[in-house]
């Protein structure tokens, strides 16, 4: 039994609905279908979820939102027309949305969640109607009826452990189950949504709960690429990667699938297959617990701008018990999370994502470290990019660092920082943001392209 | 004006005293001479300081120490005889030692400090007598009279800031000043010693206080070597290195001069010259604030066994604010100081000197991290060696990491850990202890020897 989740672009039009139908019908193991809200049909299109958020915000301010409401309804109605469905389903969607919009607004966060959730919920109903229209036994299942119970954190729900056992019952329903992604219900019966791209989370939870053999995640790319295709043209596709590799790659910018969404599937040991709705015969990328490593040490190269570092030096720092802890304590008091802490003998650098800081906060932190820790020097360096080289094959490979650092040196890239040694499947390089592209290209050439470096 | 400090092996015999005399007289700027206690004359000899400690401990236990007392007195007496000095000075030393040994024993630590200090104190008196015997204007100066005031921490005195101004007055005394190293006086007038190799500290304090142009530190090697001569035969000598380089090299095993001893000279901007009493015409090694870097990126390679690491992994660790701080807090509660903290996305390793741990403590720490931090995995890896490549020239050099990691890869050494990025003048590699020698030799060949690697 498989769980198949389809993203917004896979559900943006009648044509896309047809593709989904054909994909589901082509494999009798595809029992549970998780749907997102309709996404973009073309680059300048607006996603239904975004229309709904605007709608909800206007209602909260008592502003007229009729145009937006009609735009949302028309997205479903046009799909229904394209598929030759009766107007009954469009009318039902209209009524549902209007009912939710006229609901209780005393708790704005809860109201927004309820409005957002209609995007997926009505799309699931529409999909179920289409399957039935095609003469297939299929049913819409509501998360409440299925027992998908979540914590009461609007916009950031966490699944409660007791849900899994109840969800297992879905296996016993006859026919195909069409399940809306993105939201669950609190114990009191209120709608709460997951964080953004929460339909991936729903799919992962259902795969875990129903003990599926595979979680298929249909999106609009053929595979996860070994490097950002905006930096390297037509990069090698990754056929298979481990959860750990995926996690390390997501960390520095791989965005195909949010790594937190994978946790329920990961914990249940269920492999995930990322596939393309628009090219379903392509094998896609499989995320597994273990893989054979035949193809060289590196599977992917990720990079991300947007880091900065706080450099602190103090003579004889390393004799002072508690120094590092005290710096981390100061950061913690401001709710800042740090990424890495490379250190010399008498100096330490703390690498953070720079979107957490602002000039006033920076000054406050620098002052506190200087005075409370009597540091000799404290300075903030901005515009750092982190580059991750990831691969399970590195465990057994002696020369990977030599190859990587030589490739960077030959490309004239200065390595600001190296963090290697804790993870066995990755190496991390810090470079100046302006060197990021050059560094990634040099590393890609070294580990993937069958061409000599430095031509 | 220069301060010249002579170590124990430079003062072990009459012959050595003569060398010291000749060195001091050959440069009229050598105004202040700091002396250690007599050291070893041959490999199996016992240092006077060690005899004195045994003496003091026996006295505290009311055991007979006559043999030891005579052995100490005989060391001075034999030097005096060799130099043709009258028995008056030996008698004076005998009386002084017996007086101290019969002193107040109610505070054992203070008693031991007073006994230990006589080693340097009497050697300074003997040296002054020798200079006078040779017809040179010279005087023994007592640290109390000179105003060398220290904190009341027996065996670990810290100089008090007000000392420096008083010590400046030494410049106004006529002739050569012979000053005993290793101890000062509390505000109440009690003798307290510095930590071991404290004569280096005294010399550094006097250089600072008298605003000397140079602090000469005479020992028994021609220079600081670029690598441990027990690993590489006849390694290149270092002519000049910066304080920072010295500090980074000392950290991982360079022991010529204790880096803490340098602080007073460092703070006053006074260069230090390490020279050989037995070969004073050799230029020695100069420690300076800045140097020109003409000779390649690396100045020295240091290595040290005796490290271990605590590896901790937890899925999504890097989203958890305070995780690193909590680990460091646990270590701090046991008074453990850590060296470095390389980290992956979901794992962190803490590198410590392993002499701080024992099996019971290890188990306790592992258990606490597992339970209090809900870590997925905690394990201790032993037998780690750290290798430091040090050099100011690395700041401007793009390919140093590539050269170093290629040299290690070619030698078949697996890099367990790299810590680079905070210090601009060093790179640190962690390797298995059994690979240490091979790694150091490979790096030395790469950066110093004009021979191809891998012959």
């Amino acid at each position: 039994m498989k769980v198949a989740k389809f993203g917004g672009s896979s559900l943006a039009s009648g044509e896309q609905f047809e593709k989904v139908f054909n994909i589901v019908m082509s494999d009798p193991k595809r029992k549970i279908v998780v749907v997102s809200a309709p996404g973009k049909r073309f680059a300048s299109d607006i996603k239904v979820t975004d229309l709904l958020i605007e709608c909800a915000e206007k209602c909260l301010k008592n502003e007229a939102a009729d145009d937006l409401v009609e735009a949302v309804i028309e997205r479903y109605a046009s799909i229904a027309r394209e598929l030759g469905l009766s107007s009954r389903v469009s009318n039902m969607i209209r009524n549902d949305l209007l009912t939710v919009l006229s609901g209780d607004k005393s708790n704005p966060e809860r109201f927004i969640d309820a409005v957002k959730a209609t995007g997926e919920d009505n799309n699931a109903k529409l999909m179920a109607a289409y399957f039935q229209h095609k003469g297939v036994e299929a049913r819409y299942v509501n998360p409440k009826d299925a027992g998908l119970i979540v914590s009461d954190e609007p916009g950031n729900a966490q699944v409660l452990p007791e849900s899994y056992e109840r969800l297992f019952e879905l296996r016993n329903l006859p026919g195909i189950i069409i399940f809306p992604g993105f939201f669950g219900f609190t114990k009191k019966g209120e709608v709460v949504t997951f964080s953004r791209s929460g339909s991936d989370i729903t799919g992962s939870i259902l795969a875990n709960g129903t003990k599926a053999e595979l979680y298929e995640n249909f999106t609009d790319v053929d595979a996860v690429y070994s490097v950002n295709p905006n930096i390297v043209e037509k990069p090698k596709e990754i056929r298979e990667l481990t959860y750990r590799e995926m996690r390390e790659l997501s960390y520095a910018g791989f965005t195909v699938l949010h790594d937190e969404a994978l946790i329920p599937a990961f914990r249940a040991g269920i492999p995930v297959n990322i596939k393309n709705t628009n090219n379903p015969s392509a094998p896609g990328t499989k995320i597994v617990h273990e893989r054979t490593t035949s193809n060289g040490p590196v599977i992917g190269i990720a990079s991300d701008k947007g880091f900065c570092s706080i450099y602190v030096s103090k003579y004889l720092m390393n004799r002072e018990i508690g120094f590092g802890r005290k710096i981390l304590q100061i950061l913690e008091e401001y709710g800042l999370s740090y990424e890495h802490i490379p250190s010399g003998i008498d100096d330490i650098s703390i690498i953070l994502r720079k979107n957490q800081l602002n000039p006033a906060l920076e000054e406050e932190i620098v002052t506190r470290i200087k005075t409370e820790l009597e540091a000799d020097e404290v300075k903030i360096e901005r515009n750092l990019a982190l580059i991750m080289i990831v691969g399970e094959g590195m465990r057994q490979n002696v020369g990977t660092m030599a190859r990587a650092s030589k490739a960077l040196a030959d490309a004239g890239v200065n390595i600001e920082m190296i963090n290697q040694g804790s993870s066995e499947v990755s190496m991390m390089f810090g470079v100046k943001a302006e060197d990021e592209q050059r560094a990634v290209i040099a590393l890609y050439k070294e580990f993937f392209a069958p061409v000599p470096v430095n031509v």
Side-chain angles (χ1 to χ4, degrees), chain A:
Chain A
M1 199 275 288
K2 300 177 183 173
V3 171
K5 178 260 169 181
F6 293 86
S9 66
S10 305
L11 299 157
S13 65
E15 193 190 341
Q16 293 299 81
F17 266 58
E18 221 177 306
K19 286 182 192 168
V20 170
F21 176 77
N22 290 328
I23 288 169
V24 173
M25 297 314 293
S26 71
D27 183 348
K29 288 188 167 174
R30 290 181 177 131
K31 165 94 183 158
I32 298 179
V33 177
V34 178
V35 300
S36 300
K40 292 185 181 188
R41 292 159 295 186
F42 40 87
S44 62
D45 201 9
I46 303 172
K47 294 178 182 180
V48 163
T49 303
D50 290 324
L51 292 172
L52 288 168
I53 293 170
E54 217 187 321
C55 238
E57 283 168 352
K58 288 210 164 179
C59 288
L60 284 171
K61 287 188 264 182
N62 281 319
E63 290 172 16
D66 299 353
D67 289 0
L68 286 166
V69 175
E70 288 310 319
V72 171
I73 293 166
E74 176 52 25
R75 284 298 303 271
Y76 296 103
S78 76
I79 293 171
R81 280 195 306 273
E82 226 182 311
L83 297 173
L85 301 180
S86 77
S87 58
R88 200 179 52 85
V89 63
S90 304
N91 289 336
M92 183 200 67
I93 290 172
R94 170 185 295 272
N95 291 338
D96 177 77
L97 181 56
L98 293 176
T99 307
V100 172
L101 286 171
S102 64
D104 177 20
K105 296 180 190 58
S106 61
N107 183 332
E109 280 190 320
R110 206 178 280 299
F111 175 72
I112 289 174
D113 264 17
V115 174
K116 279 196 293 185
T118 66
E120 276 72 11
D121 198 47
N122 284 322
N123 219 25
K125 288 173 185 162
L126 185 59
M127 181 63 82
Y130 176 52
F131 270 71
Q132 288 153 8
H133 171 77
K134 297 283 272 185
V136 172
E137 185 178 10
R139 75 189 61 218
Y140 157 84
V141 173
N142 186 280
K144 193 178 197 170
D145 300 331
L148 177 45
I149 309 301
V150 298
S151 65
D152 191 3
E153 299 169 81
N156 191 32
Q158 307 292 321
V159 62
L160 299 183
E162 58 259 42
S163 298
Y164 291 114
E165 212 170 310
R166 294 190 207 162
L167 291 169
F168 186 76
E169 299 300 319
L170 291 175
R171 292 180 74 115
N172 300 328
L173 291 176
I176 290 167
I177 292 157
I178 315 286
F179 201 100
F182 194 37
F183 69 97
F185 284 82
T186 64
K187 284 183 176 169
K188 289 185 181 162
E190 291 147 326
V191 171
V192 188
T193 66
F194 296 118
S195 55
R196 193 97 198 214
S197 69
S199 293
D200 288 333
I201 301 177
T202 302
S204 186
I205 292 168
L206 292 191
N208 178 316
T210 60
K211 303 205 193 314
E213 66 191 72
L214 185 66
Y215 172 29
E216 293 179 309
N217 194 292
F218 283 87
T219 173
D220 51 9
V221 290
D222 269 0
V224 175
Y225 293 114
S226 50
V227 70
N228 184 342
N230 296 324
I231 297 180
V232 173
E233 231 179 302
K234 291 195 191 146
K236 205 179 154 197
E237 294 179 357
I238 299 177
R239 283 282 85 81
E240 199 177 48
L241 80 170
T242 63
Y243 278 105
R244 215 170 135 154
E245 288 170 333
M246 182 72 192
R247 167 103 179 105
E248 306 247 358
L249 289 167
S250 313
Y251 171 78
F254 270 42
T255 52
V256 177
L257 196 53
H258 200 317
D259 52 356
E260 273 183 273
L262 289 181
I263 298 175
F266 163 76
R267 295 225 192 272
I270 298 163
V272 178
N273 198 355
I274 296 171
K275 287 179 72 82
N276 191 349
T277 302
N278 305 314
N279 184 20
S281 63
T285 297
K286 229 170 172 182
I287 305 168
V288 294
H289 269 256
E290 276 180 48
R291 68 175 179 93
T292 51
T293 57
S294 46
N295 276 349
V298 177
I299 198 165
I301 299 167
S303 67
D304 199 2
K305 284 188 186 66
F307 294 91
C308 65
S309 81
I310 304 175
Y311 169 89
V312 182
S313 78
K314 181 177 184 182
Y315 201 67
L316 296 180
M317 177 191 293
N318 88 320
R319 308 267 165 94
E320 205 174 309
I321 289 183
F323 194 90
R325 194 265 306 156
K326 284 175 208 155
I327 292 185
L328 299 188
Q329 184 110 47
I330 290 175
L331 298 183
E332 196 178 336
E333 284 169 30
Y334 294 99
L336 298 171
S337 74
Y338 67 88
E339 305 296 319
H340 303 282
I341 342 177
S343 57
I345 310 303
D346 292 333
D347 39 40
I348 185 169
S349 293
I350 302 110
I351 316 283
L352 315 104
R353 293 198 187 257
K354 69 179 175 191
N355 61 10
Q356 300 181 94
L357 293 177
N358 60 56
L361 184 58
E362 283 175 17
E363 206 187 305
E364 197 171 328
I365 289 168
V366 168
T367 307
R368 282 194 62 185
I369 295 175
K370 260 194 193 148
T371 52
E372 292 174 29
L373 290 155
E374 296 174 335
D376 295 333
E377 190 184 358
V378 184
K379 62 181 182 208
I380 295 194
E381 293 183 32
R382 293 173 194 82
N383 299 322
L384 194 65
L386 292 188
I387 299 174
M388 304 276 300
I389 307 186
V390 177
E392 299 273 351
M394 279 195 250
R395 283 179 211 264
Q396 278 86 35
N397 204 289
V398 164
T400 311
M401 174 54 72
R403 289 175 66 187
S405 55
K406 181 161 189 322
L408 293 174
D410 288 347
V413 173
N414 192 43
I415 302 170
E416 302 286 315
M417 181 200 104
I418 294 179
N419 198 336
Q420 189 227 321
S422 202
S423 166
E424 286 176 311
V425 304
S426 73
M427 289 175 186
M428 179 182 300
F429 296 90
V431 302
K432 290 207 163 63
E434 71 246 34
D435 288 340
E436 181 197 4
Q437 292 225 358
R438 211 148 33 96
V440 169
I441 291 168
L443 292 169
Y444 185 79
K445 277 190 181 167
E446 174 62 32
F447 290 106
F448 291 96
V451 293
V453 176
N454 250 355
V455 238

